Amino acid sequence: MSKDIQITYDCADPAALAAFWAEALDYELQPPPGGFETWEAALAALGVPESEWNSRSAIVPADDDGPRLFFQRVPEGKAAKNRVHLDVRVAPGLAGDERMAALETEAERLGALGATRAYRIDPSPSMEAGFITMHDPEGNEFCLD
């Protein structure tokens, strides 16, 4: 049996980055613990200082198909290129111009949410189907594939 995983992001603004990735991946904010209607109510009841309410956040797949993404506030900013990144599969089974058009459409949608485009690699006969590399609102690299 395979193991369940969680993907963790160090970031400056967990709530904002969680909101971006929830939109990007069709995920949802993890619901608060049972008995609480909001995270604010849960955190207040648990005695968490209000200054720490945005110290972490998490999103989960709406259909229970995929890993949980966890966002934790850290004091330092992003300093170098990611060694691991997400490939967001928005064009499986598509090829050529149709594939690149689907990737461009998604790049525009995510750009409106705060992502920035880094570069595009077009399809080539040397094993490359084509992809677009982007940065999330805090500069983390990801690819539209």
Side-chain angles (χ1 to χ4, degrees):
M1 176 187 263
S2 62
K3 293 183 171 65
D4 193 18
I5 66 164
Q6 168 176 283
I7 299 168
T8 301
Y9 280 84
D10 290 349
C11 58
D13 186 348
L17 203 56
F20 169 80
W21 280 108
E23 280 292 320
L25 300 175
D26 296 324
Y27 271 45
E28 58 189 32
L29 188 64
Q30 182 171 331
F36 296 99
E37 291 200 23
T38 66
W39 274 106
E40 291 80 8
L43 295 171
L46 294 169
V48 176
E50 195 169 335
S51 63
E52 294 300 310
W53 287 8
N54 189 27
S55 65
R56 53 194 53 116
S57 188
I59 61 173
V60 294
D63 59 6
D64 291 327
D65 186 25
R68 176 181 190 250
L69 273 65
F70 182 72
F71 304 87
Q72 60 189 7
R73 186 172 61 209
V74 296
E76 69 278 356
K78 184 176 179 301
K81 184 179 184 327
N82 297 15
R83 295 289 306 261
V84 175
H85 68 266
L86 299 183
D87 285 343
V88 181
R89 310 291 315 272
V90 297
L94 300 180
D97 292 342
E98 185 180 18
R99 174 184 175 77
M100 297 312 293
L103 297 179
E104 289 291 349
T105 297
E106 185 67 358
E108 288 179 29
R109 182 181 84 86
L110 296 178
L113 297 173
T116 55
R117 181 189 189 108
Y119 57 88
R120 170 180 159 150
I121 299 295
D122 287 313
S124 70
S126 63
M127 299 180 25
E128 187 55 63
F131 61 91
I132 298 174
T133 297
M134 301 194 63
H135 296 124
D136 74 13
E138 290 205 14
N140 300 298
E141 294 89 5
F142 67 97
C143 290
L144 299 177
D145 180 22

